[in-house]
Amino acid sequence: GEFMDKILIVDGNSLAYRAYYAMPLLTNGEGIYTGSLYGFLNMLLKVLDEAKPEYIVVAFDFSKKTFRNQLYEPYKATRKETPEELRAQCPLLKELLVTMGIKIIEVEGIEADDIIGTVAKSSGIENMILSGDRDVLQLIDKKTSVWLTKKGISEIHKIDESNIKGVFGVDAKGIIELK
């Protein structure tokens, strides 16, 4: 019911990426790029304020090479390289999150998606996943909702068991087929 603790599971890569493309190329006084940081924090604080979770964790890809690459070489070969201005902000973003007391999970060889799925399936409490990636919709169940960023970062749509069919025409299992 309403009294169950909630955990916010943030798709760090997806959010940083979305924030980067949604914001102008902002820099601080030292010429360090900060647009992605600013957009990321904006979204995160908005959701924290609205959702008021007891726990929060941010999942990041550890590196480009994952076990999926070992299984299948061309996996994600079509994906564009991360722009340098965004890559440069990632260590700062992680530092910032740690300073805020937010736990970061990154595991060598494992993608953020897989970490998110594992946390959601094993948390034992209500899960809210914040991401811009529709892949995570397949994790929706009685205990799991997805807060999907739309239009860059200005809009967030809450998708759960009650409205996923209305929004996407399929249930969580159907998302896998859809992809």
Side-chain angles (χ1 to χ4, degrees), residues 2-177:
E2 272 302 301
F3 300 104
M4 188 162 49
D5 280 353
K6 293 182 288 202
I7 180 168
L8 179 65
I9 307 164
V10 180
D11 185 339
N13 289 78
S14 163
L15 227 62
Y17 211 79
R18 288 220 145 216
Y20 174 78
Y21 284 107
M23 302 301 296
L25 274 179
L26 304 173
T27 53
N28 70 4
E30 285 114 67
I32 295 166
Y33 289 100
T34 54
S36 182
L37 292 174
Y38 179 76
F40 189 105
L41 277 185
N42 243 343
M43 267 189 289
L44 183 59
L45 294 173
K46 193 160 122 183
V47 172
L48 285 177
D49 188 50
E50 203 178 318
K52 301 187 172 37
E54 282 72 21
Y55 306 99
I56 176 172
V57 58
V58 181
F60 284 101
D61 294 336
F62 190 84
S63 72
K64 285 280 161 258
K65 278 257 175 273
T66 68
F67 72 95
R68 293 180 197 271
N69 289 100
Q70 273 114 52
L71 293 174
Y72 177 60
E73 246 338 291
Y75 180 70
K76 288 206 173 156
T78 53
R79 227 179 224 192
K80 309 197 295 290
E81 263 306 293
T82 308
E84 188 45 52
E85 295 84 355
L86 172 55
R87 213 192 342 255
Q89 293 181 63
C90 281
L92 294 173
L93 176 58
K94 290 173 188 174
E95 217 174 292
L96 202 58
L97 291 169
V98 169
T99 305
M100 290 168 75
I102 293 173
K103 175 134 183 71
I104 288 174
I105 304 182
E106 41 184 357
V107 183
E108 194 160 5
I110 307 287
E111 292 198 354
D113 295 15
D114 296 309
I115 294 170
I116 292 164
T118 303
V119 173
K121 292 287 175 237
S122 58
S123 77
I125 56 177
E126 185 187 330
N127 306 294
M128 298 176 299
I129 299 168
L130 174 58
S131 179
D133 185 351
R134 290 176 173 200
D135 282 0
V136 298
L137 293 167
Q138 63 191 272
L139 297 170
I140 289 176
D141 59 24
K142 277 189 294 299
K143 283 192 343 209
T144 307
S145 60
V146 170
W147 297 49
L148 199 62
T149 58
K150 308 267 289 202
K151 288 213 174 91
I153 58 170
S154 58
E155 272 179 43
I156 298 174
H157 289 203
K158 277 185 264 190
I159 315 287
D160 58 25
E161 274 192 335
S162 74
N163 69 355
I164 183 170
K165 255 207 151 85
V167 179
F168 293 98
V170 292
D171 61 10
K173 295 270 181 292
I175 294 289
I176 303 168
E177 302 302 316

